[in-house]
Amino acid sequence: MSERRFNPAAADGRWQAAWDKAESFKAGQRPGAPKSYVLEMFPYPSGRIHMGHVRNYSMGDVLARFRRMQGHDVLHPMGWDAFGMPAENAAMEKKVHPGGWTRSNIASMKAQLKRLGFALDWSRELATCEPDYYGQEQALFIDLYEAGLVYRKESAVNWDPVDMTVLANEQVIDGRGWRSGALVEKRKLSQWFLKITEFADELLDGLDTLESWPEKVRVMQENWIGKSVGLQFSFKLDAPVGEIDSLEVFSTRPDTIFGASFAAIAADHPIALALAETDEALASFAEECRRTGTAAAEIETQEKKGYDTGLSVIHPFDPTWKMPLFVANFVLMDYGTGAVMGVPAHDQRDLDFARKYMLPVERVVAASGDEAKPVHNEAYVGPGKLVNSRFLDGMTVEAAKAEVIRRAEAEGWGKGTTVWRLRDWGVSRQRYWGTPIPFIHCESCGVVPVPKKDLPVVLPEDVTFDVPGNPLDRHPTWKHVDCPSCGKPARRETDTLDTFVDSSWYFIRFASQPSDKPFDRAEAESWLPVGQYIGGIEHAILHLLYARFWTRALQHIGMIGMAEPFASLFTQGMVTHETYFSTDQSGRTTWYSPEEVVLEGGTAKTRAGNMPIEIGRVIKMSKSKKNVVDPDEIIERYGADAVRWFMLSDSPPERDLAWSEAGIEGAWRFVNRIWRLLGDVDGSATGEDKALDRKLHQTIDGVAKDIEALSFNKAVAKLYELTNAIEKAKPSASRTNAIRTLPLLVAPMTPHLAEEAWAEMGREGLIADAMWPAVDPALLVEDEVTIAIQVMGKLRDTITVAKGTDKATLESLALAAPNAARALDGATPKKVIVVPDRLVNLVI
RNA sequence: GCGGAUGUGGCGAAAUGGUAGACGCAGCGGACUCAAAAUCCGCCGUAGCAAUACAUGUCGGUUCGAGUCCGACCAUCCGCACCA
């Protein structure tokens, strides 16, 4: 074979330019064709593309290109989740404007994506930091406000007194601000909220309709929403605490109310706070409770502790029945009512507590036969009938729950309630680089939305970051406006929206982007819901839940006719890499990047100093462990197709993919193998090669099915098999045909190579516009099959027969097979199992 | 603790209840070459000269036949969590 090497340096750019010029991937160009919306989660413009992006977008690209080859009208867009903290941090550290920093990052990342040859409709590119996007978001926010789904409320936030800003929970480390190191304070601020809890039930029920979502994500959302059905009721106190004379509690087990032996409240409960004013011991106990962290390990080892207030609560069904009231470290103020009734026999936590403080433990639910058995150290949480429970005795748990709720409601001391873990979504951020919240505060009119004609409320450009705090708030003029309602001087809202709002509707804006409104309903509905959404598992809860909520909210106000934005979700695995490190005498670890390391037969040493170093675990690529490989350098060396091919081969897409030098080398070898093969067309060869014809059609069929199922690694394996078969085949018309078909089969994965070959073969047009080859069903089946011959289920021999050979013939052939006869050792089978075209099993 | 997933050669992995390990990586042997790279041919689960035996986390079960189905357990990863 001739010396022939694929030259990506020339080919990649040539075909990327050709696709641009032909507008090959522009959506909406195939009227009447089935529509496919393929979307990968849009990136934050941090500055550089990383391998995780490359893997994510390679997968989506294969699907998008394949759908085009099936004749679909494909929407495959790209944009930028461009607001957020890192731009402001860069502004503070590097004295650049967040806008300039972000836009230049977008430019360089876009160039990187282009170099990978993704089939994206760049005409729909959007960045959430541009007024034409966030202005429409402001309009939607006002619409939701007018529909009563947006409100303002005082709420406690993490306040960093040095940086003068609100911090997210994730930015508070050991009670201190992550940047300033200052002790974080709890502050009450007036914040904007979205009423996601109004849709809690719908969001929960909707999960059942999302059959093409990973079970894992659905479960995570279900837990996050956290629905608990039960009874909220009040205990009377035996003595009032100030003005308070009763205690509200919530229980999912009202049926066990006659098993209650204490009540407990959180350290921050109003009753506890009131008592602590005159009770120093309680005050210090409460302080201890607050200090305890919420880290998993701490909770695990945390002992259940309580402080007896000396007060009692009175049983709602029996005014003579008093139970002690404790302040307990395991009761959370921000769940339910911050107070619980303790039923030790049927709740493990209550049981532990009761044993410690010598409280009664009485069984009130029993499985049949267990009625008289006392509960020892394990609470009984199973089903059964009520015992020791007066009028509830003999009822099932379910019936007893209903009965208690019925009586509580009739007697007026309680109500059947549902409690959710899900909280309303606080969207206020005291930040500059975000969507301005389009409201004006007027002393006479209150909170007034900015009139739609005055949108967008644009961020001022002339801001400074040399002092802490919100630049919008200290801007000399920006916030001073007249009230749109009464015309008097008023104050603009200076908070901006959480960036998760920006990503809650970008997929709709991709589908339709008129300049005068957020989207056109009919056009958006023609593409949505997204047919295949691909992204990382890290967005399983927040982004995916917010987007589901936002879509439902838009449906609620009549702007769109669907509840669920993503019909099918796929969460891909991470890109990982070996780590390299050395440890010095003082135990300090130094990490080395892959290019600083030379690998030799399972050992590693530094390139510079030949110093032996250790090979660590294979973990997600991260800057701190220095196990990062920059896509640009790899594209430079091997071209886009080899990178794409490697990203799709080896590991199943939902699992982690370990990047390795050997792996990318292998992908590069394959690209060249195909390339050499494509140059080996012998147009004059004649004759039929039935086996190769079959292999070709089985591959066309199999690869299509694998791509549909996102099983890219299997599609890759099938293409290797076909390549092997073509290489081994003798020249024939069949072989020539197979080689001429091959570019089409690899086109979704290695599009530049495919175009180059297509052109070289003198085929018409771009392969980007070509159709996936048709399958001849007759060629999918073999005419000869290998039959396994088993004796007692163990393989002893094989025979090759015509497909469809009848059972009797197979049986006699099997008995005659020499190795089978030897295994039988003269015995006569007492049973023969024949599975046509598969096997014969001789049972003795 | 609860929930979800995973467990198959040296490694990444395939396998409608029907020939376990396709395909790739690494490795080994050979060809070409002055030599190297590239490429090509062959071998490659373990033990054994071989016949064969043993092999899909462990232990049981169902079946003519189990990586696959059922039951118990073990390990690893991920998520959530004093959620009343």
Side-chain angles (χ1 to χ4, degrees):
Chain A
M1 228 175 272
S2 59
E3 193 60 30
R4 191 177 143 92
R5 265 170 97 87
F6 183 61
N7 180 8
D12 287 7
R14 174 159 56 239
W15 298 110
Q16 286 156 18
W19 298 326
D20 271 351
K21 184 160 176 266
E23 299 190 323
S24 298
F25 309 120
K26 202 168 163 147
Q29 308 276 77
R30 291 180 171 177
K35 286 183 146 87
S36 281
Y37 189 172
V38 178
L39 183 67
E40 301 97 55
M41 290 178 184
F42 70 163
Y44 176 77
S46 57
R48 310 285 299 161
I49 293 287
H50 56 68
M51 281 297 177
H53 292 124
V54 178
R55 191 174 188 207
N56 189 181
Y57 302 145
S58 294
M59 289 177 189
D61 203 57
V62 170
L63 189 64
R65 285 179 179 269
F66 175 69
R67 287 273 156 76
R68 272 183 57 78
M69 294 184 82
Q70 288 181 312
H72 291 210
D73 192 352
V74 174
L75 172 57
H76 186 216
M78 182 55 69
W80 310 96
D81 189 12
F83 273 138
M85 288 279 297
E88 282 187 67
N89 294 338
M92 283 181 258
E93 284 158 21
K94 299 174 189 151
K95 314 279 178 230
V96 291
H97 191 277
W101 183 82
T102 302
R103 291 184 189 102
S104 92
N105 286 347
I106 288 175
S108 52
M109 288 173 77
K110 183 175 177 180
Q112 287 185 296
L113 292 181
K114 288 234 168 192
R115 276 200 286 285
L116 283 157
F118 294 133
L120 293 162
D121 180 355
W122 285 105
S123 74
R124 293 175 189 245
E125 178 185 7
L126 60 80
T128 57
C129 66
E130 302 302 342
D132 58 0
Y133 183 84
Y134 71 69
Q136 300 301 344
E137 185 168 306
Q138 290 167 339
L140 289 175
F141 191 75
I142 292 169
D143 289 337
L144 295 181
Y145 173 80
E146 276 159 5
L149 294 172
V150 172
Y151 66 97
R152 273 168 73 78
K153 181 180 84 174
E154 282 259 303
S155 97
V157 295
N158 304 308
W159 180 259
D160 183 323
V162 172
D163 277 355
M164 297 210 301
T165 184
V166 167
L167 298 177
N169 287 334
E170 297 77 20
Q171 294 161 342
V172 180
I173 299 153
D174 293 334
R176 288 172 184 276
W178 66 307
R179 283 178 60 86
S180 68
L183 273 177
V184 167
E185 302 166 3
K186 286 279 173 196
R187 268 211 189 176
K188 286 247 174 189
L189 281 184
S190 227
Q191 305 268 313
W192 291 91
F193 286 86
L194 283 169
K195 264 195 198 166
I196 190 169
T197 53
E198 187 133 324
F199 294 84
D201 245 319
E202 279 191 44
L203 288 167
L204 185 64
D205 292 346
L207 290 172
D208 292 336
T209 68
L210 300 174
E211 283 157 21
S212 299
W213 278 41
E215 172 75 9
K216 182 191 175 106
V217 175
R218 289 190 288 175
V219 168
M220 281 165 76
Q221 291 210 355
E222 192 180 317
N223 291 341
W224 184 263
I225 295 168
K227 180 181 188 175
S228 299
V229 180
L231 173 70
Q232 184 170 327
F233 67 99
S234 67
F235 277 121
K236 283 219 155 36
L237 295 178
D238 64 340
V241 179
E243 311 247 294
I244 308 170
D245 64 353
S246 69
L247 173 68
E248 283 287 309
V249 301
F250 173 75
S251 173
T252 54
R253 293 297 303 275
D255 53 305
T256 63
I257 197 162
F258 289 105
S261 57
F262 67 96
I265 57 177
D268 287 323
H269 192 278
I271 293 176
L273 294 177
L275 291 172
E277 280 176 21
T278 56
D279 184 340
E280 257 181 54
L282 173 56
S284 73
F285 175 76
E287 197 45 49
E288 191 191 323
C289 292
R290 280 181 209 112
R291 267 204 309 275
T292 321
T294 49
E298 282 177 83
I299 291 164
E300 199 70 30
T301 55
Q302 182 71 36
E303 205 184 342
K304 310 280 172 273
K305 277 193 198 159
Y307 179 92
D308 192 342
T309 61
L311 292 171
S312 292
V313 297
I314 297 160
H315 198 285
F317 282 121
D318 184 348
T320 66
W321 183 345
K322 289 189 176 187
M323 294 175 254
L325 174 65
F326 285 83
V327 174
N329 64 349
F330 61 84
V331 181
L332 306 174
M333 192 56 223
D334 56 4
Y335 186 81
T337 61
V340 298
M341 74 164 174
V343 184
H346 304 288
D347 181 288
Q348 191 59 44
R349 194 192 46 204
D350 293 350
L351 183 59
D352 295 345
F353 190 81
R355 291 297 181 212
K356 186 172 163 92
Y357 293 99
M358 319 272 267
L359 298 162
V361 177
E362 185 169 32
R363 176 191 281 283
V364 288
V365 177
S368 177
D370 288 350
E371 290 81 356
K373 279 194 197 158
V375 170
H376 293 293
N377 293 318
E378 209 172 307
Y380 180 71
V381 293
K385 297 236 165 109
L386 275 284
V387 293
N388 304 322
S389 293
R390 307 186 188 184
F391 54 85
L392 299 175
D393 282 352
M395 289 186 191
T396 62
V397 167
E398 286 315 307
K401 278 182 187 173
E403 177 60 14
V404 172
I405 291 171
R406 193 189 64 75
R407 290 198 185 213
E409 288 179 351
E411 293 167 18
W413 49 267
K415 199 172 179 308
T417 322
T418 301
V419 168
W420 303 89
R421 209 189 81 100
L422 184 70
R423 290 293 125 100
D424 273 340
W425 176 15
V427 292
S428 288
R429 298 291 180 270
Q430 290 68 38
R431 287 279 157 195
Y432 167 73
W433 195 232
T435 299
I437 296 176
F439 280 85
I440 291 165
H441 301 276
C442 171
E443 290 212 352
S444 358
C445 310
V447 177
V448 183
V450 173
K452 289 234 177 128
K453 67 173 171 55
D454 295 341
L455 294 182
V457 175
V458 179
L459 287 169
E461 283 290 312
D462 53 334
V463 284
T464 53
F465 294 90
D466 45 2
V467 287
N470 183 354
L472 287 179
D473 200 35
R474 63 166 180 267
H475 190 277
T477 55
W478 188 74
K479 68 178 171 185
H480 302 295
V481 288
D482 292 338
C483 172
S485 171
C486 69
K488 281 190 262 181
R491 185 176 55 82
R492 203 184 270 297
E493 171 66 62
T494 57
D495 284 357
T496 53
L497 288 173
D498 181 3
T499 57
F500 277 110
V501 175
D502 308 335
S503 53
S504 288
W505 71 287
Y506 77 105
F507 44 87
I508 308 179
R509 182 77 183 168
F510 271 145
S512 167
Q513 37 193 250
S515 58
D516 59 337
K517 54 184 174 181
F519 54 87
D520 175 77
R521 177 171 174 164
E523 195 185 5
E525 285 175 1
S526 77
W527 290 108
L528 287 157
V530 174
Q532 182 64 58
Y533 197 31
I534 308 177
I537 186 72
E538 67 273 18
H539 293 110
I541 295 175
L542 296 183
H543 162 58
L544 289 166
L545 188 63
Y546 293 149
R548 292 182 61 221
F549 156 68
W550 194 271
T551 306
R552 284 194 133 83
L554 293 181
Q555 182 192 37
H556 181 79
I557 62 174
M559 287 190 70
I560 201 159
M562 71 191 62
E564 293 292 344
F566 312 121
S568 181
L569 173 72
F570 187 84
T571 52
Q572 97 272 10
M574 297 179 299
V575 181
T576 60
H577 196 289
E578 276 182 336
T579 45
Y580 310 104
F581 68 96
S582 64
T583 313
D584 66 17
Q585 284 132 339
S586 59
R588 278 240 323 240
T589 302
T590 310
W591 301 94
Y592 300 91
S593 68
E595 59 262 33
E596 293 173 292
V597 174
V598 182
L599 293 175
E600 250 174 36
T603 63
K605 55 191 186 184
T606 57
R607 193 178 293 279
N610 248 0
M611 184 181 76
I613 51 176
E614 292 185 62
I615 300 177
R617 295 215 311 158
V618 178
I619 53 171
K620 181 181 181 177
M621 286 189 181
S622 83
K623 278 181 194 151
S624 64
K625 300 289 188 290
K626 295 182 80 174
N627 61 337
V628 188
V629 176
D630 181 27
D632 258 8
E633 287 172 32
I634 303 295
I635 299 168
E636 191 69 34
R637 267 162 60 198
Y638 301 100
D641 287 342
V643 184
R644 296 167 56 115
W645 184 261
F646 181 41
M647 283 290 144
L648 300 163
S649 55
D650 277 347
S651 290
E654 69 278 9
R655 283 199 217 164
D656 290 352
L657 173 74
W659 177 274
S660 70
E661 193 68 19
I664 183 68
E665 288 279 355
W668 170 238
R669 268 203 301 276
F670 181 73
V671 165
N672 275 297
R673 242 178 97 193
I674 296 264
W675 180 242
R676 280 193 303 276
L677 192 55
L678 295 172
D680 189 29
V681 182
D682 181 355
S684 62
T686 55
E688 188 185 53
D689 182 339
K690 204 64 189 281
L692 189 61
D693 288 344
R694 267 200 204 93
K695 189 76 193 168
L696 175 65
H697 281 261
Q698 285 165 355
T699 306
I700 296 170
D701 186 56
V703 168
K705 286 182 173 138
D706 287 338
I707 292 176
E708 291 281 3
L710 308 182
S711 300
F712 306 112
N713 58 320
K714 292 190 219 167
V716 161
K718 288 192 174 80
L719 289 166
Y720 270 113
E721 282 189 60
L722 178 64
T723 307
N724 291 344
I726 297 174
E727 279 179 348
K728 286 200 171 64
K730 295 200 169 59
S732 66
S734 297
R735 185 173 188 272
T736 302
N737 175 51
I739 292 174
R740 288 174 66 82
T741 309
L742 193 53
L744 290 164
L745 302 184
V746 298
M749 286 121 167
T750 57
H752 310 87
L753 173 77
E755 291 286 7
E756 193 77 7
W758 195 251
E760 197 185 57
M761 287 174 180
R763 307 285 287 259
E764 211 171 300
L766 290 168
I767 206 168
D769 293 321
M771 290 294 116
W772 189 255
V775 176
D776 179 352
L779 287 170
L780 291 183
V781 288
E782 302 284 352
D783 55 5
E784 273 191 340
V785 288
T786 305
I787 303 288
I789 298 173
Q790 299 178 338
V791 176
M792 298 299 286
K794 285 189 192 253
L795 180 71
R796 294 299 171 186
D797 213 336
T798 60
I799 51 172
T800 302
V801 299
K803 191 178 165 67
T805 303
D806 64 88
K807 284 190 171 195
T809 313
L810 285 175
E811 183 173 336
S812 55
L813 285 170
L815 289 167
N819 288 340
R822 177 144 30 99
L824 282 176
D825 196 21
T828 309
K830 58 175 184 233
K831 195 169 168 190
V832 179
I833 313 263
V834 182
V835 183
D837 298 337
R838 277 280 177 193
L839 60 72
V840 179
N841 189 9
L842 307 171
V843 184
I844 46 178

